Amino acid sequence: MTRRERVAENLNRALHTLLDTDPAAYVLGEDIADPYGGAFKVTRGLSERHPERVISTPLSESGITGVGAGLALAGNRPVVEMMFADFASLAFDQLLNFASKSVSMYGRRIPLSMVVRCPTGGNRGYGPTHSQSIQKHFIGIPDLSLYETTPFHDNEDVFAAMLGREQPCVLFEDKVLYTRPLFTDGVVDDLFHYEMVGDDNPTAHLRPVDDADPDWIVVAPGGLAERVIEAMRSLLLEEELSCELLVPSRLYPFDLSELLPTLTRARGICVVEDGAAGGTWGEVLAQQLHTRLWGRLDRPVLLLSAEPSIIPTAAHLEREVVLQSATIHRAIAEATK
């Protein structure tokens, strides 16, 4: 059996392709040059092939992002790597007050194509300051788009989509997902298959092989896909509840129009997210879904988030805080009663 490409390998290939084909592309970040190749080896081999456009930088997230935005404002297409998503908070001023505003504040629309990559999420034992899912802090900023890696989207296409928007984009990359294989053949396992839905912002649509109308449709970002699929499997086999899953690549702005025909097939909708509740992507999406679909649903949209806590280093405590598949299973089963 041929080994499937892992998500980290796919990201690395996408960056190689970008640098090979676009002379205006740059990659900047801390310790990204060989032989280290970045904290998670996503940039391995890039500096050897393109030493003049792959730049290891000082430890200054604000400085890296500011340089990236300046390169983009001058017509280049930089990719900036945060070593951990937690540190993107240090670059918040550059994203909020410089990069995103520069798209439109000069009296005409200025193309500013750049990507800030953010390794995110827990379940790795990295502790409170290296494990957060901070997507919610970037929601709602005009001309700033948010994406998340998934096990279904080829990152060459994702980078092309982000840079094609001609505005700054943040790409969240779940650290556990780095080691997982990328699905490419429409088959997840013997119970579930998937297809891509939509043209402008393709969403992975997973469903049971019997294709009957589902009891629930779950909407989740890519980092949670594996945990949701595990919950869907146990719900089907143990509770006889049929669930489908929608996994978008772009989290914000989120366009429901192409997904409405799918969403209207379910009696219940669940939105899951890895960060703590309060002004989040999941809350914004749940509100939109409730407004558009409330007359068709048997119950309110169910929103599941992580616990409102720091993320402990100890594995058994970390599992109590970070959203797990068993919690998803239990919440959907109880909401069905």
Side-chain angles (χ1 to χ4, degrees):
M1 180 181 294
T2 303
R3 185 180 75 86
R4 295 207 307 268
E5 184 180 44
R6 299 189 186 278
V7 171
E9 295 168 338
N10 182 260
L11 281 162
N12 178 263
R13 176 168 59 81
L15 289 170
H16 270 286
T17 299
L18 178 63
L19 288 165
D20 288 345
T21 59
D22 188 350
Y26 286 79
V27 178
L28 300 86
E30 300 160 1
D31 294 331
I32 63 170
D34 295 316
Y36 191 61
F40 299 98
K41 312 308 174 190
V42 172
T43 59
R44 179 179 290 167
L46 298 180
S47 65
E48 183 176 337
R49 191 177 182 95
H50 300 282
E52 72 288 354
R53 289 187 287 128
V54 178
I55 304 169
S56 278
T57 66
L59 303 181
S60 174
E61 285 75 16
S62 178
I64 302 166
T65 307
V67 169
L71 283 167
L73 197 58
N76 299 290
R77 289 149 62 91
V79 176
V80 175
E81 179 182 293
M82 301 285 112
M83 191 172 284
F84 289 87
D86 311 63
F87 307 149
S89 60
L90 297 169
F92 190 75
D93 178 64
Q94 291 291 346
L95 287 168
L96 172 67
N97 285 321
F98 176 31
S100 61
K101 289 181 180 177
S102 292
V103 174
S104 60
M105 71 179 181
Y106 298 117
R108 60 185 177 89
R109 195 159 185 86
I110 303 294
L112 197 150
S113 298
M114 67 177 292
V115 175
V116 178
R117 296 180 43 244
C118 293
T120 187
N123 288 312
R124 289 288 294 262
Y126 289 156
T129 62
H130 294 72
S131 306
Q132 296 168 93
S133 296
I134 62 171
Q135 288 89 330
K136 70 178 183 180
H137 299 295
F138 300 89
I139 291 286
I141 299 175
D143 292 316
L144 182 70
S145 293
L146 309 183
Y147 286 72
E148 184 161 335
T149 53
T150 88
F152 307 102
H153 292 79
D154 189 315
N155 285 291
E156 283 192 20
D157 298 330
V158 176
F159 275 107
M162 289 188 293
L163 294 169
R165 291 183 69 80
E166 297 187 336
Q167 59 181 222
C169 296
V170 182
L171 176 64
F172 296 99
E173 303 168 4
D174 189 282
K175 296 188 287 288
V176 171
L177 200 60
Y178 284 146
T179 64
R180 301 299 193 257
L182 192 73
F183 294 102
T184 58
D185 57 3
V187 177
V188 175
D189 55 26
D190 57 340
L191 291 179
F192 300 104
H193 62 109
Y194 73 94
E195 62 182 354
M196 307 306 288
V197 179
D199 298 320
D200 177 54
N201 179 36
T203 295
H205 178 200
L206 286 79
R207 57 190 189 276
V209 293
D210 63 11
D211 276 341
D213 283 350
D215 298 297
W216 287 83
I217 288 180
V218 183
V219 187
L224 272 165
E226 182 180 48
R227 281 168 272 173
V228 174
I229 294 169
E230 184 178 346
M232 289 168 56
R233 183 179 297 110
S234 61
L235 284 164
L236 183 61
L237 298 177
E238 299 171 20
E239 314 286 347
E240 296 185 352
L241 289 175
S242 175
C243 300
E244 297 182 358
L245 172 62
L246 294 172
V247 183
S249 173
R250 190 176 74 217
L251 302 184
Y252 186 87
F254 193 86
D255 183 8
L256 283 175
S257 59
E258 293 184 311
L259 299 179
L260 283 175
T262 298
L263 289 162
T264 55
R265 296 170 54 244
R267 299 191 298 272
I269 293 179
C270 176
V271 179
V272 299
E273 59 186 355
D274 220 9
T280 65
W281 168 79
E283 290 176 359
V284 172
L285 181 57
Q287 184 273 330
Q288 293 179 14
L289 289 167
H290 178 80
T291 301
R292 300 288 291 271
L293 299 171
W294 70 272
R296 299 173 177 266
L297 299 176
D298 289 350
R299 56 189 65 85
V301 175
L302 177 64
L303 174 63
L304 302 178
S305 306
E307 293 297 316
S309 168
I310 64 167
I311 299 177
T313 304
H316 69 290
L317 297 176
E318 184 182 39
R319 285 193 294 271
E320 294 179 5
V321 172
V322 179
L323 192 62
Q324 304 295 341
S325 60
T327 306
I328 299 169
H329 174 128
R330 184 168 57 252
I332 291 178
E334 290 177 355
T336 308
K337 295 176 182 178

